[in-house]
Amino acid sequence: MSQLLLAVQPLRDADIAQLTELGVTVTTPDTISDDALANVTISYGWSATLGPKILATPNNQLKWIQTMSAGVDYMPLKDLSEQGILLTNASGLKSVPIAQSTVGYMIHFARGLNVYQNRNHWEEFTDQYMLSELPTVIFGTGHIGQQIARYLSAFDTPVYGVNTSGRPVDGFDATFSIDDLSSLPDVAVVISVLPGTDATKHFFNAETFAHFKKLFLFVNVGRGSTVDQAALLDALDKQDIHYAALDVTEVEPIPDDSPLWHHENLLLTQHTTWAEHESSGRAGNLFPLFMKNLPDFLAGQPLTTNFVDVTRGY
């Protein structure tokens, strides 16, 4: 069967040549006609405009979608499940910048940079921590969680992981099941990289925050839906959590009248921890990831790299 790939994300000429050699024809959102949408078999990236049109077309030929993101909560997962469309994500592609931003949050608050940033007079602030004094638990032990753990190990920070089953994962001092938080040791920092699913919605709520008692720092670089923002603000106001850093929020962009903007102990970075300077040369890394699965797809074999179970959302 001939393959028509809709390149929502840009491809280099060399990438297109490689695909052509494999019998894959490339089209783009700017050049494809409405009549040809039904013939698309692979979507390289997801178009919020064209994607739903393809899914709504009777007898469409779409078989596989490669997203540019790790999280897929914005995708029409029910439709994909009903139509038997394969989904792979970009998990791990941005783990390095996200992990570096996360460690940056910790250093920002632990070393008192947040205090000094707003001072315009000489006043010594010495109530600071070394990262080795801040035991940390990371919710989510996939690519991003593991990269954060690797970085923190360089600072001799005790690092624990939480995943679905509590299975051991390299790089963590110990791992625990998400259903058994009572077994966790005392920690000072909670980092979430949880995906956005029905099961994780508002997982971090008043009860969860109360369990940890007097956290030094709460960080969310996963999905905004996992945090009850009202409960987080209340915990910050009561100093049950001293500081928080959010890269993701329930509503994005954050409304101008949101109380999130005005809390002095809350740092917002507006869903940008993934960003890399264009000079890094890593912008094209999605294509090599995609190519790990393409031969199997063309051969009618299961996809094994970053395959998403659309019924679970990750």
Side-chain angles (χ1 to χ4, degrees), residues 222-242:
R223 279 293 184 261
S225 62
T226 63
V227 177
D228 181 338
Q229 291 177 177
L232 174 61
L233 288 171
D234 184 59
L236 286 168
D237 288 337
K238 294 177 178 177
Q239 282 288 283
D240 290 334
I241 300 175
H242 291 290

Side-chain angles (χ1 to χ4, degrees), residues 42 69 122 227 229 257:
I42 305 170
S69 60
W122 186 275
V227 177
Q229 291 177 177
D257 60 354

